[in-house]
Coordinates of all heavy atoms in Angstrom, one line a residue:
A1191 N 281.9 58.1 79.1 CA 281.5 58.9 77.9 C 281.3 58.0 76.7 O 281.1 58.5 75.6 CB 282.5 60.0 77.7
N1192 N 281.4 56.7 76.8 CA 281.2 55.7 75.7 C 282.3 56.0 74.6 O 281.9 55.9 73.4 CB 279.8 55.8 75.2 CG 278.8 55.3 76.1 OD1 279.1 54.3 76.9 ND2 277.6 55.8 76.1
T1193 N 283.5 56.3 75.0 CA 284.5 56.6 74.0 C 285.7 55.6 74.2 O 285.9 55.1 75.3 CB 285.1 58.0 74.0 OG1 285.6 58.2 75.3 CG2 284.0 59.0 73.7
F1194 N 286.5 55.4 73.1 CA 287.6 54.6 73.2 C 288.7 55.2 72.3 O 288.3 55.6 71.2 CB 287.3 53.2 72.7 CG 288.5 52.2 72.7 CD1 288.9 51.7 73.8 CD2 289.1 51.9 71.5 CE1 290.0 50.8 73.8 CE2 290.2 51.0 71.5 CZ 290.7 50.5 72.6
S1195 N 289.9 55.4 72.8 CA 290.9 56.0 71.9 C 292.2 55.2 72.1 O 292.5 54.5 73.1 CB 291.2 57.4 72.3 OG 291.6 57.6 73.6
F1196 N 293.1 55.3 71.0 CA 294.4 54.6 71.1 C 295.3 55.3 70.1 O 294.9 56.0 69.2 CB 294.3 53.1 70.8 CG 293.7 52.8 69.4 CD1 294.6 52.6 68.3 CD2 292.4 52.6 69.2 CE1 294.1 52.3 67.1 CE2 291.9 52.3 67.9 CZ 292.7 52.1 66.9
V1197 N 296.6 55.1 70.2 CA 297.7 55.6 69.3 C 298.2 54.4 68.5 O 298.5 53.3 69.1 CB 298.8 56.2 70.1 CG1 299.9 56.7 69.1 CG2 298.4 57.4 71.0
R1198 N 298.2 54.5 67.2 CA 298.8 53.5 66.4 C 300.2 53.9 65.9 O 300.3 55.0 65.3 CB 297.9 53.2 65.1 CG 298.5 52.1 64.3 CD 297.6 51.9 63.0 NE 298.1 50.8 62.2 CZ 299.1 50.8 61.5 NH1 299.9 51.8 61.4 NH2 299.5 49.7 60.8
R1199 N 301.2 53.1 66.3 CA 302.6 53.4 65.9 C 303.1 52.4 65.0 O 302.9 51.2 65.1 CB 303.4 53.5 67.2 CG 303.0 54.6 68.1 CD 304.1 54.9 69.1 NE 303.8 56.2 69.7 CZ 303.4 56.4 71.0 NH1 303.1 55.4 71.7 NH2 303.2 57.6 71.4
S1200 N 303.9 52.9 64.0 CA 304.5 52.0 63.0 C 305.9 52.6 62.7 O 306.0 53.8 62.4 CB 303.7 51.9 61.7 OG 304.3 51.1 60.8
P1201 N 307.0 51.9 62.7 CA 308.3 52.4 62.5 C 308.4 53.2 61.1 O 307.9 52.7 60.1 CB 309.2 51.2 62.4 CG 308.4 50.1 63.2 CD 307.0 50.4 63.0
G1202 N 308.9 54.4 61.2 CA 309.1 55.2 60.0 C 307.8 55.9 59.5 O 307.9 56.6 58.5
E1203 N 306.7 55.8 60.2 CA 305.5 56.4 59.9 C 305.0 57.3 61.0 O 305.4 57.1 62.2 CB 304.4 55.4 59.6 CG 304.7 54.4 58.5 CD 304.7 55.1 57.1 OE1 303.9 56.1 57.0 OE2 305.4 54.6 56.2
P1204 N 304.3 58.4 60.7 CA 303.8 59.2 61.7 C 302.7 58.5 62.6 O 302.0 57.6 62.1 CB 303.1 60.4 61.0 CG 303.0 60.0 59.6 CD 303.9 58.9 59.3
D1205 N 302.7 58.9 63.9 CA 301.6 58.3 64.7 C 300.2 58.6 64.2 O 300.0 59.7 63.7 CB 301.8 58.8 66.2 CG 303.0 58.3 66.9 OD1 303.6 57.3 66.5 OD2 303.3 58.9 67.9
L1206 N 299.3 57.7 64.4 CA 297.9 57.9 64.1 C 297.2 57.8 65.5 O 297.5 56.9 66.3 CB 297.3 56.9 63.2 CG 297.8 57.0 61.7 CD1 297.3 55.8 60.9 CD2 297.2 58.3 61.1
V1207 N 296.2 58.7 65.7 CA 295.4 58.6 66.9 C 294.0 58.4 66.5 O 293.4 59.2 65.7 CB 295.6 59.9 67.8 CG1 294.7 59.8 69.0 CG2 297.0 60.0 68.2
C1208 N 293.3 57.4 67.1 CA 292.0 57.1 66.8 C 291.1 57.3 68.0 O 291.5 57.0 69.1 CB 291.9 55.6 66.4 SG 290.2 55.0 66.1
V1209 N 289.9 57.9 67.8 CA 288.9 58.1 68.8 C 287.6 57.6 68.3 O 287.1 58.1 67.2 CB 288.8 59.6 69.2 CG1 287.8 59.8 70.4 CG2 290.1 60.2 69.5
A1210 N 286.9 56.7 69.0 CA 285.6 56.2 68.6 C 284.6 56.6 69.7 O 284.9 56.6 70.9 CB 285.7 54.7 68.5
N1211 N 283.4 57.1 69.2 CA 282.3 57.5 70.1 C 281.2 56.5 69.9 O 280.6 56.4 68.8 CB 281.9 58.9 69.8 CG 280.8 59.4 70.7 OD1 280.4 58.7 71.6 ND2 280.3 60.6 70.4
F1212 N 280.8 55.8 70.9 CA 279.8 54.8 70.8 C 278.4 55.3 71.3 O 277.5 54.6 71.4 CB 280.2 53.5 71.6 CG 281.4 52.8 71.0 CD1 282.6 53.0 71.6 CD2 281.3 52.1 69.9 CE1 283.8 52.4 71.1 CE2 282.4 51.5 69.3 CZ 283.7 51.7 69.9
A1213 N 278.4 56.6 71.7 CA 277.2 57.3 72.1 C 276.5 57.9 71.0 O 277.1 58.3 70.0 CB 277.5 58.3 73.2
G1214 N 275.2 58.2 71.1 CA 274.4 58.8 70.1 C 274.5 60.3 70.1 O 273.8 60.9 69.2
N1215 N 275.3 60.9 70.9 CA 275.4 62.3 71.0 C 276.9 62.7 70.8 O 277.7 62.0 71.2 CB 274.8 62.9 72.3 CG 275.5 62.3 73.5 OD1 275.6 61.1 73.7 ND2 276.0 63.2 74.4
P1216 N 277.2 63.9 70.2 CA 278.6 64.3 70.1 C 279.1 64.7 71.4 O 278.4 65.1 72.3 CB 278.5 65.5 69.1 CG 277.1 66.0 69.3 CD 276.2 64.8 69.6
H1217 N 280.4 64.6 71.5 CA 281.2 65.1 72.7 C 282.0 66.3 72.3 O 283.0 66.2 71.6 CB 282.1 64.0 73.3 CG 281.3 62.8 73.8 ND1 280.4 62.9 74.8 CD2 281.4 61.5 73.4 CE1 279.9 61.7 75.0 NE2 280.5 60.8 74.2
E1218 N 281.6 67.5 72.7 CA 282.3 68.7 72.4 C 283.2 69.1 73.5 O 282.9 68.8 74.7 CB 281.3 69.9 72.1 CG 280.5 69.6 70.9 CD 279.6 70.8 70.5 OE1 279.9 71.9 71.0 OE2 278.6 70.6 69.8
G1219 N 284.4 69.6 73.2 CA 285.4 69.9 74.3 C 286.0 68.6 74.9 O 286.4 68.7 76.0
Y1220 N 286.0 67.5 74.2 CA 286.6 66.3 74.7 C 288.1 66.4 74.7 O 288.7 66.6 73.7 CB 286.1 65.1 73.8 CG 286.6 63.7 74.2 CD1 285.8 63.0 75.2 CD2 287.7 63.2 73.7 CE1 286.3 61.8 75.6 CE2 288.2 61.9 74.1 CZ 287.4 61.2 75.0 OH 287.8 60.0 75.4
R1221 N 288.7 66.2 75.8 CA 290.1 66.4 76.0 C 290.8 65.0 75.6 O 290.5 64.0 76.2 CB 290.6 66.8 77.4 CG 292.1 66.9 77.5 CD 292.5 67.9 78.5 NE 292.1 69.3 78.1 CZ 292.3 70.4 78.8 NH1 292.9 70.3 79.9 NH2 291.9 71.5 78.4
L1222 N 291.7 65.1 74.6 CA 292.3 63.9 74.0 C 293.8 64.0 74.2 O 294.4 65.0 73.8 CB 292.0 63.8 72.5 CG 292.7 62.7 71.7 CD1 292.3 61.3 72.2 CD2 292.5 62.9 70.2
G1223 N 294.5 63.1 74.9 CA 295.9 63.0 75.0 C 296.6 62.7 73.7 O 296.1 61.8 73.0
L1224 N 297.6 63.4 73.3 CA 298.3 63.2 72.1 C 299.8 63.1 72.3 O 300.4 63.7 73.3 CB 298.0 64.4 71.1 CG 296.6 64.5 70.6 CD1 296.3 65.8 70.0 CD2 296.3 63.4 69.6
P1225 N 300.5 62.4 71.4 CA 302.0 62.1 71.6 C 302.8 63.4 71.4 O 304.0 63.3 71.8 CB 302.3 61.1 70.5 CG 301.0 60.5 70.1 CD 300.0 61.5 70.3
S1226 N 302.4 64.4 70.8 CA 303.2 65.6 70.6 C 302.3 66.9 70.4 O 301.1 66.8 70.1 CB 304.1 65.5 69.4 OG 303.3 65.3 68.2
T1227 N 302.9 68.0 70.6 CA 302.2 69.3 70.4 C 302.2 69.6 68.9 O 302.9 69.0 68.1 CB 302.9 70.4 71.2 OG1 304.3 70.6 70.7 CG2 303.0 70.2 72.7
G1228 N 301.4 70.6 68.6 CA 301.3 71.1 67.2 C 300.0 70.7 66.5 O 299.1 70.3 67.2
T1229 N 300.0 70.8 65.2 CA 298.8 70.6 64.4 C 298.6 69.1 64.1 O 299.6 68.5 63.7 CB 298.8 71.4 63.1 OG1 298.9 72.8 63.4 CG2 297.5 71.2 62.3
W1230 N 297.4 68.6 64.4 CA 297.1 67.2 64.0 C 295.9 67.3 63.0 O 294.9 67.9 63.3 CB 296.6 66.5 65.3 CG 297.8 66.1 66.2 CD1 298.5 66.9 67.0 CD2 298.4 64.8 66.3 NE1 299.5 66.3 67.6 CE2 299.4 65.0 67.2 CE3 298.1 63.6 65.7 CZ2 300.2 63.9 67.5 CZ3 298.9 62.5 66.0 CH2 300.0 62.7 66.9
Q1231 N 296.1 66.7 61.9 CA 295.1 66.7 60.8 C 294.1 65.6 61.1 O 294.4 64.5 61.5 CB 295.8 66.4 59.4 CG 296.8 67.4 59.0 CD 297.5 67.0 57.7 OE1 297.8 65.8 57.5 NE2 297.8 67.9 56.9
E1232 N 292.8 65.9 60.8 CA 291.8 65.0 60.9 C 291.7 64.2 59.6 O 291.3 64.8 58.6 CB 290.4 65.7 61.2 CG 289.3 64.8 61.4 CD 288.0 65.6 61.6 OE1 287.4 66.1 60.7 OE2 287.6 65.6 62.8
V1233 N 292.3 63.0 59.5 CA 292.5 62.3 58.2 C 291.3 61.5 57.9 O 291.1 61.1 56.7 CB 293.8 61.5 58.2 CG1 295.0 62.4 58.2 CG2 293.8 60.5 59.3
L1234 N 290.5 61.1 58.9 CA 289.2 60.3 58.6 C 288.2 60.7 59.7 O 288.5 60.7 60.9 CB 289.5 58.8 58.6 CG 288.3 58.0 58.4 CD1 287.7 58.1 57.1 CD2 288.6 56.5 58.7
N1235 N 287.0 61.0 59.2 CA 285.9 61.2 60.1 C 284.7 60.5 59.5 O 284.2 60.8 58.5 CB 285.6 62.7 60.2 CG 284.4 63.0 61.1 OD1 283.6 62.2 61.4 ND2 284.3 64.3 61.4
T1236 N 284.3 59.4 60.2 CA 283.2 58.6 59.6 C 281.9 59.2 59.7 O 280.9 58.7 59.1 CB 283.2 57.2 60.3 OG1 282.8 57.3 61.7 CG2 284.5 56.4 60.2
D1237 N 281.8 60.4 60.3 CA 280.5 61.2 60.4 C 280.5 62.3 59.3 O 279.6 63.1 59.3 CB 280.3 61.8 61.8 CG 278.9 62.3 62.0 OD1 278.0 61.5 61.7 OD2 278.8 63.5 62.4
A1238 N 281.5 62.3 58.5 CA 281.6 63.3 57.4 C 280.4 63.2 56.5 O 279.9 62.1 56.2 CB 282.9 63.2 56.7
E1239 N 280.0 64.3 55.9 CA 278.9 64.3 54.9 C 279.2 63.4 53.7 O 278.2 62.8 53.2 CB 278.5 65.7 54.5 CG 278.0 66.5 55.7 CD 277.7 68.0 55.3 OE1 278.1 68.4 54.2 OE2 277.1 68.7 56.1
V1240 N 280.4 63.3 53.3 CA 280.8 62.4 52.2 C 280.4 61.0 52.5 O 280.1 60.2 51.5 CB 282.3 62.5 51.8 CG1 283.2 61.9 52.9 CG2 282.5 61.9 50.4
Y1241 N 280.3 60.6 53.7 CA 279.9 59.2 54.1 C 278.4 59.2 54.6 O 278.0 58.3 55.2 CB 280.7 58.7 55.2 CG 282.2 58.7 54.9 CD1 283.1 59.4 55.7 CD2 282.7 57.9 53.8 CE1 284.5 59.3 55.4 CE2 284.0 57.9 53.5 CZ 284.9 58.6 54.3 OH 286.3 58.6 53.9
H1242 N 277.7 60.3 54.2 CA 276.3 60.5 54.6 C 276.1 60.6 56.1 O 275.0 60.3 56.6 CB 275.4 59.3 54.0 CG 275.5 59.2 52.5 ND1 275.0 60.1 51.6 CD2 276.2 58.3 51.8 CE1 275.3 59.7 50.4 NE2 276.0 58.6 50.5
G1243 N 277.1 61.2 56.8 CA 277.0 61.5 58.2 C 276.4 62.9 58.4 O 276.0 63.6 57.5
S1244 N 276.4 63.3 59.7 CA 275.9 64.6 60.0 C 276.8 65.8 59.8 O 276.4 66.9 59.9 CB 275.4 64.6 61.5 OG 276.5 64.4 62.3
G1245 N 278.1 65.5 59.5 CA 279.1 66.5 59.3 C 279.7 67.1 60.5 O 280.4 68.1 60.4
V1246 N 279.5 66.5 61.7 CA 280.1 67.0 62.9 C 281.6 66.6 62.9 O 281.9 65.5 62.6 CB 279.4 66.4 64.2 CG1 280.2 66.8 65.4 CG2 278.0 66.9 64.2
G1247 N 282.5 67.6 63.2 CA 283.9 67.3 63.2 C 284.7 68.4 63.7 O 284.3 69.3 64.4
N1248 N 286.0 68.4 63.3 CA 287.0 69.4 63.8 C 287.5 70.3 62.7 O 288.6 70.8 62.8 CB 288.1 68.6 64.4 CG 287.6 67.8 65.6 OD1 287.5 68.3 66.7 ND2 287.3 66.5 65.4
L1249 N 286.8 70.5 61.6 CA 287.2 71.4 60.6 C 288.5 71.1 60.0 O 289.3 72.0 59.6 CB 287.1 72.8 61.0 CG 285.7 73.3 61.5 CD1 285.8 74.7 62.1 CD2 284.6 73.2 60.5
G1250 N 288.9 69.8 60.0 CA 290.1 69.4 59.3 C 291.4 69.2 60.2 O 292.3 68.5 59.8
S1251 N 291.4 69.9 61.3 CA 292.6 69.8 62.2 C 292.3 70.3 63.6 O 291.3 70.9 63.9 CB 293.8 70.6 61.6 OG 293.5 71.9 61.7
V1252 N 293.2 69.9 64.5 CA 293.2 70.4 65.9 C 294.6 70.8 66.3 O 295.6 70.3 65.6 CB 292.6 69.3 66.9 CG1 291.2 69.0 66.6 CG2 293.5 68.1 66.9
T1253 N 294.8 71.6 67.3 CA 296.1 72.0 67.8 C 296.3 71.4 69.2 O 295.5 71.7 70.1 CB 296.2 73.5 67.8 OG1 296.0 74.0 66.4 CG2 297.6 73.9 68.2
A1254 N 297.4 70.6 69.3 CA 297.7 70.1 70.6 C 298.7 71.0 71.3 O 299.6 71.6 70.7 CB 298.4 68.7 70.4
V1255 N 298.5 71.2 72.6 CA 299.3 72.0 73.5 C 300.0 71.1 74.5 O 299.6 70.0 74.8 CB 298.5 73.1 74.1 CG1 297.9 74.1 73.1 CG2 297.4 72.6 75.0
E1256 N 301.1 71.7 75.1 CA 301.7 71.0 76.2 C 300.8 70.8 77.4 O 300.0 71.6 77.7 CB 303.0 71.8 76.7 CG 304.1 71.7 75.7 CD 305.3 72.4 76.3 OE1 305.5 72.4 77.5 OE2 306.1 73.0 75.5
G1257 N 301.0 69.6 78.0 CA 300.1 69.3 79.2 C 299.7 67.8 79.1 O 299.0 67.4 78.3
E1258 N 300.3 67.1 80.1 CA 300.0 65.6 80.1 C 298.5 65.4 80.3 O 297.8 66.0 81.0 CB 300.8 65.0 81.3 CG 300.8 63.5 81.3 CD 299.6 62.9 82.0 OE1 299.0 63.6 82.9 OE2 299.2 61.8 81.7
H1259 N 298.1 64.4 79.6 CA 296.7 63.9 79.7 C 296.6 62.4 79.3 O 297.1 62.0 78.2 CB 295.7 64.7 78.8 CG 294.3 64.4 79.1 ND1 293.6 64.8 80.2 CD2 293.4 63.7 78.3 CE1 292.4 64.3 80.2 NE2 292.2 63.7 79.1
H1260 N 296.2 61.6 80.2 CA 296.1 60.1 80.0 C 297.4 59.5 79.5 O 297.4 58.7 78.6 CB 294.9 59.8 79.0 CG 293.6 59.9 79.7 ND1 292.5 60.2 78.9 CD2 293.2 59.8 81.0 CE1 291.4 60.3 79.7 NE2 291.8 60.1 81.0
G1261 N 298.5 59.9 80.1 CA 299.8 59.4 79.8 C 300.5 59.9 78.6 O 301.5 59.4 78.2
Q1262 N 299.9 60.9 77.9 CA 300.5 61.5 76.7 C 301.0 62.9 77.1 O 300.4 63.6 78.0 CB 299.5 61.6 75.6 CG 299.0 60.3 75.1 CD 300.1 59.4 74.5 OE1 301.0 60.0 73.9 NE2 300.0 58.1 74.6
P1263 N 302.1 63.4 76.5 CA 302.7 64.7 76.9 C 301.9 65.9 76.4 O 302.2 67.0 76.9 CB 304.1 64.6 76.3 CG 303.9 63.7 75.1 CD 302.9 62.7 75.5
A1264 N 301.0 65.7 75.5 CA 300.2 66.9 75.0 C 298.7 66.5 75.0 O 298.3 65.4 75.2 CB 300.7 67.2 73.6
H1265 N 297.9 67.5 74.7 CA 296.5 67.3 74.6 C 295.8 68.3 73.7 O 296.4 69.4 73.4 CB 295.8 67.3 75.9 CG 295.8 68.6 76.6 ND1 296.8 69.1 77.4 CD2 294.9 69.6 76.6 CE1 296.5 70.3 77.8 NE2 295.4 70.7 77.3
A1266 N 294.6 68.0 73.2 CA 293.8 68.9 72.4 C 292.4 68.7 72.8 O 292.0 67.6 73.2 CB 294.0 68.7 70.9
D1267 N 291.6 69.8 72.8 CA 290.1 69.6 73.1 C 289.5 69.5 71.7 O 289.6 70.4 70.9 CB 289.6 70.8 73.8 CG 290.2 70.9 75.3 OD1 290.5 69.8 75.8 OD2 290.3 72.0 75.8
I1268 N 288.8 68.4 71.5 CA 288.2 68.1 70.2 C 286.7 67.9 70.2 O 286.2 67.8 71.3 CB 288.9 66.8 69.6 CG1 288.5 65.5 70.4 CG2 290.4 67.0 69.5 CD1 288.9 64.2 69.7
V1269 N 286.1 67.7 69.1 CA 284.7 67.3 68.9 C 284.7 65.9 68.5 O 285.4 65.5 67.5 CB 284.0 68.2 67.9 CG1 282.6 67.7 67.7 CG2 284.0 69.6 68.4
V1270 N 284.1 65.0 69.2 CA 283.9 63.6 68.8 C 282.5 63.4 68.3 O 281.6 63.5 69.1 CB 284.3 62.6 69.9 CG1 284.3 61.2 69.4 CG2 285.6 63.0 70.6
P1271 N 282.3 63.2 67.0 CA 280.9 63.0 66.4 C 280.2 61.8 67.0 O 280.8 60.9 67.5 CB 281.2 62.8 64.9 CG 282.6 63.2 64.7 CD 283.3 63.0 66.0
P1272 N 278.9 61.9 67.0 CA 278.1 60.8 67.5 C 278.2 59.5 66.7 O 278.3 59.6 65.4 CB 276.6 61.3 67.4 CG 276.7 62.3 66.3 CD 278.0 62.9 66.4
L1273 N 278.3 58.4 67.3 CA 278.4 57.1 66.7 C 279.4 57.1 65.5 O 279.1 56.6 64.4 CB 277.0 56.7 66.1 CG 275.9 56.6 67.2 CD1 274.5 56.4 66.6 CD2 276.2 55.4 68.2
A1274 N 280.6 57.6 65.8 CA 281.6 57.8 64.7 C 283.0 57.5 65.2 O 283.2 57.5 66.4 CB 281.4 59.2 64.1
T1275 N 283.9 57.4 64.3 CA 285.3 57.3 64.6 C 286.1 58.4 63.9 O 285.8 58.7 62.7 CB 285.8 55.9 64.2 OG1 285.1 54.9 64.9 CG2 287.3 55.8 64.5
V1276 N 287.0 59.0 64.6 CA 287.9 60.1 64.0 C 289.3 59.7 64.1 O 289.7 59.2 65.2 CB 287.6 61.4 64.7 CG1 288.4 62.5 64.1 CG2 286.1 61.8 64.7
W1277 N 290.1 59.8 63.0 CA 291.5 59.6 63.0 C 292.3 60.8 62.8 O 291.9 61.6 62.0 CB 291.9 58.6 61.9 CG 291.4 57.2 62.1 CD1 290.2 56.7 61.9 CD2 292.2 56.1 62.6 NE1 290.2 55.3 62.2 CE2 291.4 55.0 62.7 CE3 293.6 56.0 63.0 CZ2 291.9 53.7 63.1 CZ3 294.0 54.8 63.4 CH2 293.2 53.6 63.5
F1278 N 293.4 61.0 63.6 CA 294.3 62.2 63.5 C 295.7 61.7 63.2 O 296.1 60.7 63.7 CB 294.3 63.0 64.8 CG 292.9 63.6 65.2 CD1 292.1 63.0 66.0 CD2 292.6 64.8 64.6 CE1 290.9 63.5 66.4 CE2 291.3 65.4 64.9 CZ 290.5 64.8 65.8
R1279 N 296.4 62.6 62.4 CA 297.8 62.3 62.1 C 298.6 63.7 62.3 O 298.1 64.7 61.9 CB 298.0 61.9 60.7 CG 299.5 61.7 60.3 CD 299.6 61.2 58.9 NE 299.0 62.2 58.0 CZ 298.4 61.8 56.8 NH1 298.3 60.6 56.4 NH2 297.9 62.8 56.1
A1280 N 299.7 63.6 62.9 CA 300.5 64.8 63.1 C 300.9 65.4 61.8 O 301.3 64.7 60.9 CB 301.8 64.5 63.9
A1281 N 300.7 66.7 61.7 CA 301.0 67.4 60.4 C 302.5 67.5 60.2 O 303.2 67.6 61.2 CB 300.3 68.8 60.4
D1282 N 302.9 67.5 59.0 CA 304.3 67.6 58.7 C 304.9 69.0 59.0 O 304.3 70.0 59.0 CB 304.6 67.4 57.2 CG 304.2 65.9 56.8 OD1 304.2 65.1 57.7 OD2 303.8 65.7 55.7

């Protein structure tokens, strides 16, 4: 699917999850493994209109549910914009 994702961990800080899409089309319903359930805020979307992108995204947040995916204990179905990178952070 021309995507790459990873979790960035730093002591004392919330996990950040990055997803990059190297394809020219968006991926809707893309299942992303996440470290925990609950709300994850979309803290950066390089396809946002403020960056002169097309505005494809997740409307500010996604909800992760229980269920292992790619070695993570939770997952969410997200939209990954075309030729863009999206960062998520667990909500407080």
Side-chain angles (χ1 to χ4, degrees):
N1192 292 327
T1193 60
F1194 179 77
S1195 64
F1196 62 92
V1197 178
R1198 183 184 184 282
R1199 293 195 164 109
S1200 180
E1203 298 292 329
D1205 289 343
L1206 290 171
V1207 176
C1208 177
V1209 184
N1211 181 4
F1212 298 99
N1215 57 307
H1217 298 300
E1218 296 184 19
Y1220 182 86
R1221 182 151 292 180
L1222 175 66
L1224 292 165
S1226 62
T1227 60
T1229 302
W1230 285 76
Q1231 297 172 327
E1232 185 180 75
V1233 294
L1234 176 66
N1235 177 345
T1236 63
D1237 193 51
E1239 291 176 354
V1240 69
Y1241 304 120
H1242 303 285
S1244 66
V1246 173
N1248 297 279
L1249 302 175
S1251 67
V1252 297
T1253 301
V1255 296
E1256 287 185 28
E1258 189 275 333
H1259 188 72
H1260 287 151
Q1262 297 295 328
H1265 68 271
D1267 293 333
I1268 68 168
V1269 176
V1270 188
L1273 301 171
T1275 301
V1276 183
W1277 287 82
F1278 295 97
R1279 177 180 58 214
D1282 296 332

